[in-house]
Amino acid sequence: MVHSDSIFPSSPRIWSKLSLRLFSHVDDPFLDDSLPREFVLYLRPSGPLQNQLSHFWQQSRITCGKNKAHNIFPHITLCQFFMCADSKVEALSEALQTTVQQWRGRFPRPLPLELYTSSSFIGLFVEEQVADVLRQFAADFATEAARKTEVKVEPHKKQLHLTLAYNFLSDHQSSLEKLAKGIEVKLGCDWLAVLFSRDIRFANHETFRVMYPYMPQNDDELELAPGDYIFTSSMDQTSTSEGWVYGTSLATGLSGLLPENYVSLADESDTWVFHGSHSFFSCGPSEKSTKEKGMFDGLLDSRRPDSTSPGDMPTLSVICHPMQVLRFSGSYTRQPKRTLFVCRHGERMDVVFGKHWLTLCSDSKGRYVRSNLNMPPSLPLWGGQRDYDMDAPITVFGSTQARLVGEALLESNTMIDFVYCSPSLRCVQTAQNILKGLQQDGKLKVRVEPGLFEWTKWVSGNSLPAWIPPTDLAAANFSVDTAYRPLIPASKLTVSESYENYMSRSYQVTKDILSDCKNTGNNVLIVAHAASLEACTRQLQGRSAQNAKDFIQVVRKIPYLGFCASEEQGETGMWQLVDPPILPLTHGPNHSFDWKETLLQE
């Protein structure tokens, strides 16, 4: 992981990444501004208590929706936001490290916390006598920061607390209180002093995450790249058209109009920069906090790289994703009793190369010959009457996507006991490649279940695809279970089924799968379609199906290899969506390049 106090790297790979990000700011109107960033010092819990807080964060979002507390990860504020010039950031980080080292052995342990609830606020308050000790630590940091950087830091003078919820609907108070009372505040905890900064220009803006790429059609529009963040202000929206918003890109610094449905609301601290984390109980900078997988994963903040001497060389910063801070690994991870994972298939050939893609890779004798590197070198069972028109395979990149997911599951120590997939070839191939990444290819058999096929209303034509039978798939070296008998045979599927029938079918087959696997394995993976992430999990949670229009809007936002996890809640028969054990997978468009047309133009 790269920190803001790193020296500028000599790695060509890092240089390349940074060069690309700096190049993206060539038109940034704020590029030469010398605005300082705003910094803040927090106490962040780690270990079993953090695990409890993570569970509260997840359940409160699911049960009551997002409230203001979700904008920032769980923390205790030690000082007010303060300014610090880029050239002094390294010294500021050193000031924090020095202060923490001086306080080792003096920090209160355990830190006494007491639950407080009201009609608009729920939080854990630090006992006042101990809070005075924490304020003294903050004061010592302020003194050290002033000595090393001449920066003025104001310790937090209000009651010290960890906010659990605020600005929530009154109807949600009892549910949130019940969840909060389930937090065991006396659990072991390694408290970390963490330093973050934010761009002062967007401190009071809403933050959105770009979900889909968008190329401007007019001069006043903003280009969007998935993974970027957009800042918007209500004051800038007065003259925008319905369905459009005016915003500024974090990646480029440029502003313009953008389609509202191409972005989704993010948390305020998603774009903050992480500058260091130090434990009060270990003998150095907290290795656990920096190495814990997924804790401070991020991307380079290239618009304002912090400067160091000599030569005013910029350093690299990491943007912290707060909900990833709540993702755990290692000895503190609580293994769920049973978990259902649902995953969409990988990138498909007919979407990338068009519905007539077969004509691009067939020679005069009908043999398969790929015409693009993203086409697989060969296709399973090419020839005969294989229905590739209606049952398209995945691309090379689709296979790579799937293996990445499998490798991530392996790295997170996630065990998969059963794999079920839709009969679509793209789903079978995706499941096979996930198993390769998991190093379970040939060891774990995929159960091909027609009941997991997508809503048949979306199938063109008057018949369903002629899927490759499991016996033929096995003959083509696919790791499928030829002895498996489908819960819903293909003969039971009908063309143009109603939405209600599709949701009922998906719910029933999922329940039957979980019932069949009970007592024989904990974790079940379903590899199917974009709609499956919603259709296979929503009613398991006791929630009624949405109307078809809202359902379609949800499905549109699920990318290739979209991945979700649902955990069984004891013996209640209810399931609840939880954070997946792996990070999301994002990629951008890469258009076909013809060197003749591009480089030989006169």
Side-chain angles (χ1 to χ4, degrees):
M1 186 184 70
V2 184
H3 293 273
S4 65
D5 56 355
S6 308
I7 61 170
F8 199 67
S10 59
S11 165
R13 183 168 174 267
I14 298 297
W15 268 105
S16 176
K17 281 188 175 182
L18 184 59
S19 298
L20 287 172
R21 290 194 174 277
L22 291 175
F23 181 74
S24 71
H25 287 272
V26 293
D27 296 319
D28 185 347
F30 301 100
L31 188 61
D32 296 322
D33 283 3
S34 57
L35 287 174
R37 295 180 67 84
E38 279 192 318
F39 287 74
V40 69
L41 178 63
Y42 288 154
L43 272 184
R44 189 189 67 80
S46 176
L49 177 59
Q50 172 70 345
N51 207 354
Q52 293 272 322
L53 293 170
S54 171
H55 183 71
F56 175 86
W57 238 247
Q58 296 162 358
Q59 297 304 311
S60 60
R61 277 194 186 234
I62 293 169
T63 306
C64 304
K66 183 176 180 179
N67 64 68
K68 287 288 187 179
H70 290 127
N71 271 330
I72 306 175
F73 47 86
H75 67 278
I76 296 174
T77 302
L78 291 181
C79 68
Q80 307 293 334
F81 275 95
F82 61 93
M83 303 290 193
C84 180
D86 288 351
S87 59
K88 298 181 178 180
V89 170
E90 185 175 357
L92 182 68
S93 298
E94 291 175 355
L96 176 59
Q97 183 174 354
T98 299
T99 309
V100 171
Q101 288 173 345
Q102 294 170 350
W103 270 77
R104 290 210 176 95
R106 300 164 54 194
F107 191 88
R109 187 175 190 180
L111 194 65
L113 299 172
E114 183 178 355
L115 178 64
Y116 170 84
T117 66
S118 71
S119 59
S120 59
F121 177 90
I122 299 176
L124 299 173
F125 277 77
V126 181
E127 182 181 293
E128 192 56 32
Q129 187 174 355
V130 176
D132 286 338
V133 178
L134 300 186
R135 292 191 187 97
Q136 184 57 53
F137 164 76
D140 288 353
F141 167 68
T143 300
E144 187 70 15
R147 186 179 71 83
K148 289 188 174 181
T149 67
E150 299 181 349
V151 168
K152 183 178 181 181
V153 179
E154 285 286 340
H156 197 63
K157 296 179 180 178
K158 297 180 180 179
Q159 288 182 291
L160 299 187
H161 62 275
L162 190 153
T163 302
L164 296 175
Y166 75 101
N167 276 23
F168 48 82
L169 297 176
S170 58
D171 294 345
H172 294 159
Q173 182 180 354
S174 60
S175 297
L176 290 169
E177 283 185 0
K178 184 178 180 180
L179 287 170
K181 288 176 181 177
I183 299 174
E184 300 177 47
V185 296
K186 294 183 180 180
L187 285 175
C189 180
D190 184 0
W191 289 93
L192 308 172
V194 292
L195 190 65
F196 290 91
S197 70
R198 67 182 182 184
D199 192 323
I200 188 174
R201 294 174 299 138
F202 305 114
N204 296 313
H205 287 55
E206 277 198 307
T207 305
F208 290 85
R209 182 182 291 105
V210 176
M211 305 300 294
Y212 310 104
Y214 178 76
M215 293 300 296
Q217 308 297 312
N218 298 290
D219 292 340
D220 60 350
E221 294 175 5
L222 184 65
E223 181 177 354
L224 301 180
D228 188 12
Y229 289 89
I230 303 295
F231 301 106
T232 70
S233 169
S234 57
M235 297 179 62
D236 295 331
Q237 311 307 323
T238 54
S239 60
T240 56
S241 304
E242 184 177 354
W244 291 76
V245 294
Y246 187 86
T248 302
S249 162
L250 170 69
T252 66
L254 299 177
S255 301
L257 293 170
L258 58 128
E260 190 173 13
N261 60 346
Y262 277 56
V263 297
S264 65
L265 190 63
D267 295 336
E268 177 186 343
S269 54
D270 276 2
T271 58
W272 289 6
V273 175
F274 167 63
H275 294 275
S277 173
H278 304 279
S279 168
F280 287 94
F281 306 132
S282 63
C283 297
S286 176
E287 291 186 3
K288 178 168 59 180
S289 68
T290 58
K291 292 182 179 178
E292 195 168 355
K293 177 174 173 53
M295 180 173 283
F296 290 120
D297 296 331
L299 44 93
L300 299 178
D301 178 23
S302 59
R303 195 195 71 81
R304 294 186 54 77
D306 303 318
S307 298
T308 63
S309 297
D312 199 30
M313 294 295 287
T315 61
L316 302 177
S317 302
V318 173
I319 292 177
C320 172
H321 298 267
M323 296 321 292
Q324 292 177 9
V325 172
L326 302 178
R327 185 178 288 115
F328 300 96
S329 63
S331 60
Y332 291 126
T333 302
R334 179 175 57 88
Q335 293 298 326
K337 291 183 179 179
R338 297 178 73 203
T339 306
L340 170 69
F341 302 112
V342 186
C343 182
R344 187 190 177 190
H345 59 77
E347 181 182 82
R348 48 192 287 182
M349 290 275 281
D350 54 345
V351 171
V352 175
F353 298 106
K355 63 180 181 179
H356 301 299
W357 65 273
L358 281 168
T359 62
L360 302 175
C361 51
S362 298
D363 65 12
S364 58
K365 296 182 179 180
R367 293 173 299 193
Y368 176 82
V369 179
R370 67 175 178 177
S371 58
N372 188 286
L373 285 177
N374 200 22
M375 292 179 175
S378 62
L379 288 183
L381 304 168
W382 177 265
Q385 301 300 314
R386 301 303 174 195
D387 194 6
Y388 287 111
D389 273 329
M390 295 183 65
D391 191 21
I394 59 176
T395 62
V396 171
F397 190 71
S399 298
T400 303
Q401 290 172 313
R403 283 197 300 275
L404 283 172
V405 167
E407 290 168 359
L409 289 170
L410 178 66
E411 189 176 341
S412 67
N413 297 315
T414 301
M415 297 295 294
I416 300 297
D417 300 297
F418 296 97
V419 180
Y420 289 78
C421 79
S422 161
S424 295
L425 178 58
R426 56 187 179 275
C427 298
V428 178
Q429 290 178 307
T430 300
Q432 177 95 349
N433 280 283
I434 290 176
L435 290 178
K436 287 181 180 178
L438 267 169
Q439 297 180 12
Q440 292 294 310
D441 185 25
K443 302 175 185 177
L444 195 58
K445 300 288 186 180
V446 177
R447 295 176 173 180
V448 180
E449 175 53 60
L452 293 171
F453 184 60
E454 64 185 346
W455 188 8
T456 61
K457 181 181 177 181
W458 290 337
V459 176
S460 59
N462 299 318
S463 62
L464 297 175
W467 297 301
I468 301 175
T471 51
D472 290 356
L473 289 169
N477 296 319
F478 282 91
S479 184
V480 297
D481 185 353
T482 56
Y484 174 70
R485 294 295 173 260
L487 297 165
I488 300 179
S491 60
K492 297 293 185 181
L493 300 181
T494 59
V495 179
S496 299
E497 67 184 329
S498 67
Y499 169 67
E500 291 73 21
N501 187 72
Y502 168 65
M503 293 299 290
S504 175
R505 165 167 65 88
S506 299
Y507 178 41
Q508 186 60 52
V509 76
T510 305
K511 285 198 302 180
D512 289 346
I513 286 172
L514 293 172
S515 177
D516 286 354
C517 297
K518 192 169 186 178
N519 301 323
T520 56
N522 288 333
N523 294 342
V524 177
L525 171 64
I526 288 176
V527 180
H529 307 271
S532 304
L533 276 73
E534 170 78 359
C536 293
T537 63
R538 186 177 182 86
Q539 293 172 87
L540 278 182
Q541 304 169 64
R543 304 163 68 195
S544 58
Q546 303 186 82
N547 61 54
K549 183 178 179 182
D550 290 340
F551 169 77
I552 291 171
Q553 291 304 311
V554 170
V555 173
R556 286 180 61 246
K557 297 177 182 178
I558 297 173
Y560 293 125
L561 269 300
F563 194 96
C564 72
S566 184
E567 183 181 311
E568 187 179 30
Q569 304 298 296
E571 297 299 323
T572 63
M574 299 297 292
W575 293 69
Q576 202 74 275
L577 287 175
V578 296
D579 271 347
I582 63 174
L583 297 173
L585 173 64
T586 304
H587 72 278
N590 184 37
H591 302 293
S592 179
F593 171 64
D594 188 324
W595 66 273
K596 292 181 181 178
E597 292 185 4
T598 305
L599 304 181
L600 295 182
Q601 284 187 345
E602 295 296 335

